[in-house]
Amino acid sequence: MRLTILLFDRFTALDVVGGYEVLARLPGVETSFAATECGVVAADTRRLGLIAYQRLADVKQTDILYVPGGPGVDAVMTDAEVLRCVAGLSEQAAWTVGICNGVCVLGAAGLLAGRRVTTSWDSRDRVAAFGAEVLTDRFVIDGDLLTSAGVSASVDGALALATELVGAPAAQLVQLGIEYYPAPPFGPSSVDAVPESSKEAVLRWRAEVEPKQLEMTTPWHTR
Amino acid sequence: MRLTILLFDRFTALDVVGGYEVLARLPGVETSFAATECGVVAADTRRLGLIAYQRLADVKQTDILYVPGGPGVDAVMTDAEVLRCVAGLSEQAAWTVGICNGVCVLGAAGLLAGRRVTTSWDSRDRVAAFGAEVLTDRFVIDGDLLTSAGVSASVDGALALATELVGAPAAQLVQLGIEYYPAPPFGPSSVDAVPESSKEAVLRWRAEVEPKQLEMTTPWHTR
């Protein structure tokens, strides 16, 4: 069973690795990282680089297509060639997975009309505009489509997909293997219990502070 | 503030990225991935490659030294040069972080005698042999030492460290940024509630099946 994980400039690393760490360990799964070009793909912080071993255009078939999120999603949504590949691979795949605002990529590829999905807390309106019914769940399975909330929800979503693929007893062994019995040191139990003022602070940080931080610092890979 | 994450052959990706995704986003943190040699470092599945932008021997100082786990830990524990670097950097660092069985690396570097720590469920005896007091907590802070349980516990541990570094309100904004309100689809709430038979099954899988899987499949990066 082939798992193809899409990488693109400014992906969010935990969107990728949260799901990968569950799915790549399932018996018979062959994992491949694919991007427009082979080589190093830089995460949103510019400090982490993951390797794409395949060109997306060279992927002829996959059983699971996995689309993570990140600030780079905006550029992906206007890349006709990537969207064509995503739509084509999704059509043949047994499962299509969208994580965080990566769900927007599926929407831009024309895959969300009439589908029940979830996405990151700050992308719900955007995903709904593609004609999807957006739930506030941590993950949602609708037919052959698995979507998850933001970033770390990729672990929960992937465990749910693992249950579909190999059954709950085997999926629980994977959960044990990655010791996933989470215990956050603080915080509410749901993103929807977080005050609006905190959400505004995060959005402001992303819009105003993060880009300046990136400009000010030289990525290691260009030194 | 400099965060140096150690990479080595056959690290476990979520050990690295769970903590990275929290810590690299903190204001003023400069993240660097370091390994014995610069370049691609292959994770335990051989399907994921992360880039080390620095040679470990070239890292003269770091504020946070972060040591992940993975099957490659056994080899690291007998690598005198890496252990010398780890001990030297840890001595100067404000914080030393050990994730999963990466805590054994700290032990082999002589850093654990009399310290209170946690580690992955299957490494407790091994860590105790270094003279540490091993707790079963998800994460433990003892002075300048933060240790976490296995793999996914890196997120919980890093949020606890973020609280020390920037305070709880800011750390909770990071939690919101990575939407960390976990909801595993099944399973007990603690690894110590998992039946022994499941633990034996995971250890058997790692000892017998995983190595054969790795032999049978050709990593993408050598094709």
Side-chain angles (χ1 to χ4, degrees):
Chain A
M1 182 172 288
R2 198 170 284 260
L3 163 65
T4 303
I5 300 177
L6 179 67
L7 295 180
F8 49 83
D9 185 49
R10 300 183 71 203
F11 70 93
T12 296
L14 188 54
D15 284 44
V16 168
V17 172
Y20 147 89
E21 200 66 88
V22 170
L23 299 173
R25 294 183 182 285
L26 300 181
V29 167
E30 283 234 9
T31 304
S32 170
F33 292 91
T36 301
E37 299 296 336
C38 291
V40 181
V41 185
D44 47 11
T45 61
R46 297 289 190 226
R47 302 300 170 148
L48 180 147
L50 265 180
I51 304 292
Y53 292 112
Q54 280 201 302
R55 288 180 66 240
L56 182 62
D58 292 339
V59 182
K60 297 306 175 202
Q61 182 273 336
T62 189
D63 300 291
I64 307 171
L65 175 66
Y66 184 108
V67 180
V73 153
D74 289 351
V76 175
M77 288 172 68
T78 61
D79 186 327
E81 178 60 18
V82 171
L83 296 179
R84 195 189 59 74
C85 289
V86 165
L89 288 171
S90 173
E91 190 177 24
Q92 296 176 10
W95 289 93
T96 298
V97 178
I99 306 294
C100 193
N101 68 338
V103 179
C104 295
V105 173
L106 303 181
L111 301 171
L112 291 192
R115 305 300 293 265
R116 289 161 58 89
V117 300
T118 189
T119 184
S120 51
W121 55 268
D122 55 324
S123 302
R124 291 173 182 168
D125 291 348
R126 209 170 175 197
V127 168
F130 289 111
E133 180 187 351
V134 181
L135 309 178
T136 59
D137 297 41
R138 189 85 177 146
F139 55 85
V140 171
I141 293 178
D142 177 12
D144 62 357
L145 179 66
L146 171 90
T147 50
S148 91
V151 194
S152 63
S154 58
V155 181
D156 298 323
L159 280 172
L161 178 54
T163 306
E164 299 286 329
L165 294 171
V166 299
Q172 291 196 36
L173 292 187
V174 174
Q175 180 183 20
L176 176 57
I178 64 166
E179 204 162 337
Y180 187 57
Y181 309 94
F186 47 61
S189 62
S190 158
V191 71
D192 290 301
V194 175
E196 283 306 310
S197 58
S198 297
K199 293 181 177 174
E200 285 157 18
V202 168
L203 296 177
R204 209 161 46 235
W205 174 270
R206 286 184 187 162
E208 294 170 14
V209 182
E210 262 187 7
K212 282 182 201 153
Q213 276 198 319
L214 289 177
E215 278 168 30
M216 278 163 54
T217 54
T218 315
W220 294 101
H221 61 280
T222 60
R223 278 181 194 170
Chain B
M1 181 171 289
R2 199 170 282 260
L3 164 66
T4 303
I5 300 176
L6 179 67
L7 295 180
F8 48 82
D9 185 48
R10 299 185 69 204
F11 70 93
T12 295
L14 187 54
D15 284 42
V16 169
V17 172
Y20 147 89
E21 199 67 87
V22 170
L23 299 173
R25 295 184 181 286
L26 299 182
V29 167
E30 284 233 7
T31 304
S32 169
F33 292 90
T36 300
E37 298 296 336
C38 292
V40 181
V41 186
D44 47 10
T45 62
R46 297 288 191 225
R47 301 303 172 146
L48 181 147
L50 265 180
I51 304 292
Y53 292 113
Q54 279 201 302
R55 288 180 68 241
L56 182 61
D58 292 339
V59 181
K60 298 304 174 204
Q61 183 274 334
T62 189
D63 299 291
I64 308 171
L65 175 66
Y66 185 108
V67 180
V73 153
D74 289 351
V76 175
M77 288 171 68
T78 61
D79 187 327
E81 178 59 19
V82 171
L83 295 179
R84 196 189 58 74
C85 289
V86 165
L89 289 171
S90 173
E91 191 178 21
Q92 296 177 8
W95 289 94
T96 298
V97 178
I99 306 295
C100 192
N101 67 338
V103 179
C104 295
V105 173
L106 303 181
L111 301 171
L112 291 192
R115 306 300 293 264
R116 289 161 59 88
V117 300
T118 190
T119 184
S120 51
W121 56 268
D122 55 324
S123 301
R124 291 172 183 169
D125 291 348
R126 208 171 176 196
V127 169
F130 290 110
E133 181 187 352
V134 181
L135 310 178
T136 59
D137 298 40
R138 190 84 177 147
F139 55 85
V140 172
I141 293 178
D142 177 13
D144 62 357
L145 179 66
L146 171 88
T147 50
S148 91
V151 194
S152 63
S154 59
V155 181
D156 299 323
L159 281 171
L161 179 54
T163 305
E164 299 286 330
L165 295 171
V166 298
Q172 291 197 35
L173 292 186
V174 174
Q175 180 183 21
L176 175 58
I178 64 166
E179 204 164 338
Y180 188 56
Y181 310 95
F186 48 60
S189 61
S190 159
V191 69
D192 291 300
V194 175
E196 282 305 311
S197 58
S198 297
K199 294 181 176 173
E200 285 156 17
V202 167
L203 296 178
R204 209 160 47 235
W205 173 270
R206 286 184 187 162
E208 295 170 12
V209 182
E210 263 188 5
K212 283 182 200 153
Q213 275 197 321
L214 289 176
E215 279 168 29
M216 279 163 51
T217 53
T218 315
W220 293 102
H221 61 277
T222 60
R223 281 182 189 168

